[in-house]
Amino acid sequence: MSYLNAIILGLVQGLTEFLPVSSSGHLTILQHFFGINGDSVVAFTVMLHVGTLFSVFYMYWNDIWALIKELFLTIRDLCTGRGLKLDERPIRKLGVMIIVATIPIGIIGMLFNDVFESFYKTLLPTAIGLIITGILLWTAESIKGGHTKIEDMKFRDALLIGTLQGVAITPGISRSGSTLVGGLFAKLDRGFAVEFAFLISIPSIIGSLVFETGSGSIGASLASNLGPVLLGTVIAAISGIFAIKFMIKVVKQYSLKYFSLYVWIVSIVLLVHEIFF
């Protein structure tokens, strides 16, 4: 792993984790052309996820800290028989909705892990995934905006968003894009939809960290590439912060169809490469 590879991959991970263009798809493409494989890929991917996880914590620390404190209050109320009282405590309801939205990705990941892993053997599944991402974004942008906030959010809304997040394990299908699309389908307020999409990325990223850490012997790879890995991690964290800020502004003021056009162009290039080269 060269320092140049680390800089490029860190920058791409940080940006594409939060922009609706598929970080897994872009990393798969770059790793293919850089010739990076084996445990080095797993080790570097783990650390890049650490970087993007830091981005979310940095941007949403106040919400995260409020959710952590509310967790202890929830445990206290359940132990004393007071109940959940979701209607009275919006922050508690947000925490419950995040948990509900995380359930589908856990189930999908466990049941279809081998299928998803097979998608990384060639670039064709990534190209198809990017096409699907573009269709989802274009369709969601065509739907009239909603105004639902956490107070009126339903469990079915969280399950819909979570299911789309689970499907996004496929390379080329954007996690942030899919969860945002799910929020727009559920008629969530656009600002709340992007916030919810980023908040539910926390358990998703942590889950992928746990899975990837246990999927290979990454210790030696980290030690042998420590400099580039740390550099890539820092770049992923910094670029991730800018990507979140940019995405919040885009969702509120601009159209997602521009991202559709981008992922379709990339998918066409990949299809040409796979068919003719």
Side-chain angles (χ1 to χ4, degrees):
M1 173 86 61
S2 69
Y3 281 97
L4 179 59
N5 290 160
I7 291 171
I8 295 174
L9 290 172
L11 182 62
V12 169
Q13 167 66 16
L15 295 176
T16 59
E17 178 67 36
F18 303 110
L19 299 180
V21 294
S22 177
S23 62
S24 62
H26 280 73
L27 287 182
T28 298
I29 295 168
L30 290 177
Q31 288 165 357
H32 174 82
F33 288 108
F34 287 167
I36 305 172
N37 51 53
D39 286 339
S40 60
V41 172
V42 177
F44 195 57
T45 301
V46 166
M47 293 307 295
L48 290 182
H49 280 137
V50 171
T52 50
L53 187 63
F54 173 84
S55 302
V56 182
F57 270 81
Y58 177 85
M59 288 297 299
Y60 290 101
W61 174 246
N62 289 335
D63 289 330
I64 294 169
W65 180 239
L67 286 166
I68 293 173
K69 291 190 292 185
E70 189 62 31
L71 173 62
F72 289 102
L73 292 176
T74 302
I75 294 173
R76 181 204 64 184
D77 288 349
L78 289 175
C79 291
T80 56
R82 297 180 184 179
L84 288 176
K85 299 181 180 179
L86 298 183
D87 294 335
E88 299 177 13
R89 304 184 67 84
I91 189 65
R92 179 174 297 182
K93 185 174 182 179
L94 176 60
V96 172
M97 289 299 176
I98 291 173
I99 293 173
V100 172
T102 304
I103 293 173
I105 192 172
I107 296 174
I108 292 173
M110 288 188 294
L111 293 179
F112 302 103
N113 177 57
D114 292 340
V115 176
F116 288 122
E117 283 190 350
S118 68
F119 290 159
Y120 288 86
K121 294 180 180 179
T122 69
L123 293 178
L124 183 59
T126 299
I128 296 174
L130 289 172
I131 293 173
I132 294 173
T133 292
I135 293 173
L136 287 173
L137 294 173
W138 194 280
T139 303
E141 192 59 54
S142 302
I143 297 174
K144 186 177 180 180
H147 304 284
T148 300
K149 297 279 188 139
I150 185 60
E151 291 82 0
D152 299 313
M153 190 176 181
K154 308 297 183 184
F155 286 109
R156 63 173 180 269
D157 300 331
L159 287 173
L160 170 63
I161 297 170
T163 300
L164 287 174
Q165 180 176 233
V167 174
I169 299 176
T170 306
I173 298 182
S174 169
R175 191 210 59 78
S176 60
S178 296
T179 51
L180 176 58
V181 166
L184 296 179
F185 282 164
K187 296 294 184 178
L188 299 188
D189 171 81
R190 291 179 75 93
F192 176 57
V194 69
E195 178 183 0
F196 190 74
F198 289 150
L199 287 176
I200 66 171
S201 74
I202 295 173
S204 173
I205 293 174
I206 292 175
S208 67
L209 283 174
V210 173
F211 175 78
E212 289 164 357
T213 301
S215 64
S217 302
I218 67 171
S221 296
L222 285 175
S224 61
N225 295 281
L226 187 60
V229 167
L230 290 178
L231 177 60
T233 302
V234 172
I235 290 177
I238 295 173
S239 59
I241 292 171
F242 284 101
I244 293 174
K245 291 182 177 180
F246 177 72
M247 192 60 192
I248 293 172
K249 183 176 181 179
V250 167
V251 172
K252 291 182 177 180
Q253 300 180 16
Y254 302 102
S255 174
L256 297 173
K257 292 182 178 180
Y258 296 111
F259 292 109
S260 293
L261 296 176
Y262 169 76
V263 295
W264 284 337
I265 291 172
V266 174
S267 66
I268 290 172
V269 172
L270 287 182
L271 289 173
V272 170
H273 176 272
E274 287 295 284
I275 294 173
F276 296 103
F277 298 98

